[in-house]
Amino acid sequence: EGSTAAAGAESLVTLKSIMAELAAFKSDMQKKDEAFKEEMMKKEQEMKKKDEMIAELLAARKSKTEHKQVQMSAGGEVVELVSAEDLKALEERVEEYEARLAAQDAKIGALRDKP
């Protein structure tokens, strides 16, 4: 009867240690699972930011290249279709040249008028 009680006590200790190991293992796995989920969320956020950046870059590239087309007019001249931004930049350049030309004309006029 003594050996049976000892065997029962030993199996109870073994069962308790197994249960403790199992609980520790389960806790460790939950922590690893939470850490993995956090890491995945960070990666997903990084990927979302990269996707947004790629979309912005593609939109910028498209806006720079989309509007410029060359076509032939009915008279055979080559006509380039440009974006509003390009047209505005061209208008600004023309205004700058007009101001320069007006200054040159005034200078030439003043030289001519000199005796």
Side-chain angles (χ1 to χ4, degrees):
E1 192 176 304
S3 67
T4 307
E10 185 180 312
S11 67
L12 185 61
V13 170
T14 305
L15 182 60
K16 283 184 181 180
S17 68
I18 290 173
M19 292 299 287
E21 285 181 37
L22 183 60
F25 178 75
K26 185 177 179 182
S27 174
D28 186 47
M29 289 305 293
Q30 285 176 337
K31 288 178 186 175
K32 286 182 179 179
D33 187 47
E34 289 173 14
F36 177 74
K37 286 179 182 177
E38 285 181 32
E39 186 68 26
M40 289 303 293
M41 284 178 56
K42 287 180 185 177
K43 294 289 183 188
E44 286 175 9
Q45 289 173 349
E46 288 175 13
M47 290 298 292
K48 186 177 179 181
K49 286 180 184 176
K50 287 179 182 179
D51 288 345
E52 289 171 356
M53 189 183 318
I54 290 170
E56 289 175 14
L57 290 171
L58 288 173
R61 185 179 82 184
K62 185 177 181 184
S63 72
K64 286 186 176 185
T65 59
E66 182 178 75
H67 300 292
K68 294 185 180 178
Q69 302 172 5
V70 175
Q71 70 182 33
M72 299 294 282
S73 70
E77 305 90 17
V78 176
V79 178
E80 183 178 1
L81 304 177
V82 295
S83 67
E85 294 88 22
D86 290 340
L87 185 59
K88 186 161 182 74
L90 180 61
E91 288 172 349
E92 290 172 2
R93 286 177 47 201
V94 167
E95 288 174 8
E96 288 173 17
Y97 284 118
E98 286 175 345
R100 268 196 230 161
L101 288 174
Q104 278 182 343
D105 287 346
K107 199 176 198 180
I108 292 170
L111 290 174
R112 278 191 197 158
D113 293 340
K114 273 190 175 180

